[in-house]
Every structure is written in structure tokens, then in C-alpha cells.
């Protein structure tokens, strides 16, 4: 299986990249992003682009699965900018992928609380829901949406957002106990990566997956 990862330098993307490189069923892992992952591996091919709104067809062909892990905090971000990054850039990648890889499985990392009606009062939830809906209309083999809640990095993954890094550093001693006490609200980065790979290979009974569904898919 050949897989394509967007956002491999973010916390979730780092976890997904690690699991894809470890999986013996994956022959090629290609990442596309603005910066290098810094990872060296014989299965890894990196494409670094300053502009993620346009792609060469040669960068997007011959993939079985794509894992879209790009995300930005809505705090301090205008609705126009959040829409451009969350929906605009996602669709700029997904639309040509669907055309070039009709048998592809596309997995989008959203968030718990995303608003599929696109009419709610919470800006980020509306735009996440809008993006999910737009992806579901593309002619992929299948589109799956992950809506995780709390996420625990367990192999050194770090968020690119400074405030998140500080928060995770403060909360680190509590994350494992919290995950055990509230298993329906916390996932590890490893579980998210394993779930993506398993679903890419075998599918899932539903297209929108919450924390318990993602954990089950990771088994």
C-alpha cells in the first residue's frame, strides 16, 4: 500500500507517520508539507512546498490512501483565514486526489463537536462540518472522518502550536490516568495512526468516527 500524509509535522501527523513507517503492509509513505519532517527512512519520500494550494499531478498519483492531518487553532484566527486553511487547503488537495486516484481511501482529521449542519453558532465547528461535507461529495472509493477529543502523544510527538505545547507539557503527568478514567474521551497518537492504516486496508462500518470508534479500529 502506498500512503500520502498531509500535516506530518503536526502532533497527530507525526504519530500517523510513525505508524505508517512501521507497518510492513505499507510500501511507500509520501509526505507533503511546508517543512521537512526531519525523519530518515527508506520508505519515506518527502515533498516540501511553500504553497499548499496547488499541486503537480505527479506528486499525487498512484496512492491507495491519504491521511489529512493538517490543523490550525481557531483561537486568534479570523473566520476567513480559518475557512481558507481548514476547508480551502483541504479541498485543494482532495479534489485532484479524487480525480487522479478514484480507488483511494481518504481520511480527514476533524474534531469532536464538528457541525455537519454548517449552521451552528461556533465558527470552527461550522467550518469543520463544511469541510467534512465537501469531502464526502468527492468521488473517492471512501471518505472517513475522525473526530477525536483528547489526544495523548506517547512517542515524543509535539504540537506546532506553542500554547498547545505548553498545555501538553503541564498536563503530561495526568494524561495517562485521564485516558484510563475516561477512555471515551482520550486517544493516543499511536491509536489514531493504527486506526487510519486499518481502515485504509479494511474499511469501517461508519464514515464518521468518534473516539470509541477510532480506538476499536486501532485494534
Amino acid at each position: 500500500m502506498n500512503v500520502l500524509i498531509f500535516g506530518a509535522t503536526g502532533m497527530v501527523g507525526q504519530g500517523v507517520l510513525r505508524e505508517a513507517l512501521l507497518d510492513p503492509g505499507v510500501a511507500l509513505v509520501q509526505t507533503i508539507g511546508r517543512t521537512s519532517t526531519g525523519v530518515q527512512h527508506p520508505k519515506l519520500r518527502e515533498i516540501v512546498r511553500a504553497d499548499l494550494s496547488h499541486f503537480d499531478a505527479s506528486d499525487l498519483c498512484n496512492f491507495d490512501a491519504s491521511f489529512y492531518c493538517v490543523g490550525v487553532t481557531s483561537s486568534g484566527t479570523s473566520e476567513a483565514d480559518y475557512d481558507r486553511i481548514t476547508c480551502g487547503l483541504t479541498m485543494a488537495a482532495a479534489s485532484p486526489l479524487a480525480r487522479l486516484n478514484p480507488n483511494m481511501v481518504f481520511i480527514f482529521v476533524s474534531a469532536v463537536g464538528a457541525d455537519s449542519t454548517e449552521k451552528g453558532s461556533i465558527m470552527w465547528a461550522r467550518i469543520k462540518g463544511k469541510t467534512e461535507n465537501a469531502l464526502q461529495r468527492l468521488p473517492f472509493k471512501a471518505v472517513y472522518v475522525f473526530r477525536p477529543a483528547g489526544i495523548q502523544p506517547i512517542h515524543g510527538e509535539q504540537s506546532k502550536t506553542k500554547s498547545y505545547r505548553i498545555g501538553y507539557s503541564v498536563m503530561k503527568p495526568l494524561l495517562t490516568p485521564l485516558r484510563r478514567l475516561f477512555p471515551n474521551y482520550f486517544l493516543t497518537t499511536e491509536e489514531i495512526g493504527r486506526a487510519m492504516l486499518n481502515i485504509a486496508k479494511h474499511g469501517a462500518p461508519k464514515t464518521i468516527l468518534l473516539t470509541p470508534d477510532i480506538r476499536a479500529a486501532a485494534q
Side-chain angles (χ1 to χ4, degrees):
M1 182 169 68
N2 295 339
V3 304
L4 179 60
I5 303 175
F6 293 86
T9 58
M11 188 180 74
V12 172
Q14 291 167 43
V16 173
L17 173 61
R18 178 183 184 275
E19 296 309 310
L21 293 175
L22 288 172
D23 192 318
V26 175
L28 169 69
V29 181
Q30 178 175 292
T31 63
I32 298 181
R34 290 193 177 94
T35 57
S36 170
T37 65
V39 175
Q40 300 293 322
H41 195 283
K43 291 198 297 189
L44 177 62
R45 180 169 70 196
E46 290 192 301
I47 295 176
V48 177
R49 286 186 172 278
D51 182 2
L52 297 181
S53 61
H54 298 90
F55 300 94
D56 296 334
S58 59
D59 295 340
L60 304 178
C61 289
N62 302 315
F63 290 95
D64 303 291
S66 181
F67 307 143
Y68 198 89
C69 308
V70 177
V72 62
T73 178
S74 61
S75 177
T77 305
S78 69
E79 182 164 351
D81 284 343
Y82 191 78
D83 193 355
R84 175 182 59 81
I85 296 167
T86 301
C87 189
L89 292 184
T90 303
M91 297 308 295
S95 297
L97 278 173
R99 184 177 70 253
L100 295 167
N101 306 273
N103 290 318
M104 172 179 278
V105 173
F106 190 95
I107 300 179
F108 173 68
V109 179
S110 184
V112 66
D115 178 11
S116 297
T117 72
E118 305 180 34
K119 297 178 181 179
S121 61
I122 302 174
M123 178 270 284
W124 72 262
R126 287 197 313 271
I127 293 173
K128 287 282 193 184
K130 170 185 172 181
T131 309
E132 295 175 3
N133 292 339
L135 288 170
Q136 295 283 3
R137 291 191 288 267
L138 291 177
F140 286 110
K141 176 183 177 181
V143 173
Y144 296 96
V145 172
F146 279 26
R147 289 183 179 177
I151 300 172
Q152 180 185 12
I154 60 171
H155 296 293
E157 299 92 350
Q158 287 193 329
S159 172
K160 296 179 75 173
T161 303
K162 183 178 180 180
S163 60
Y164 287 7
R165 289 198 303 272
I166 294 171
Y168 274 106
S169 178
V170 171
M171 291 292 293
K172 185 176 180 179
L174 300 176
L175 287 175
T176 296
L178 284 171
R179 180 164 54 88
R180 290 171 178 164
L181 284 170
F182 305 103
N184 289 338
Y185 295 94
F186 284 89
L187 290 163
T188 67
T189 45
E190 181 176 316
E191 286 174 320
I192 293 174
R194 292 308 314 161
M196 285 191 179
L197 290 161
N198 288 341
I199 289 173
K201 296 172 187 175
H202 308 298
K206 56 177 70 174
T207 58
I208 295 179
L209 296 93
L210 301 179
T211 293
D213 308 309
I214 297 168
R215 177 174 293 107
Q219 303 306 311

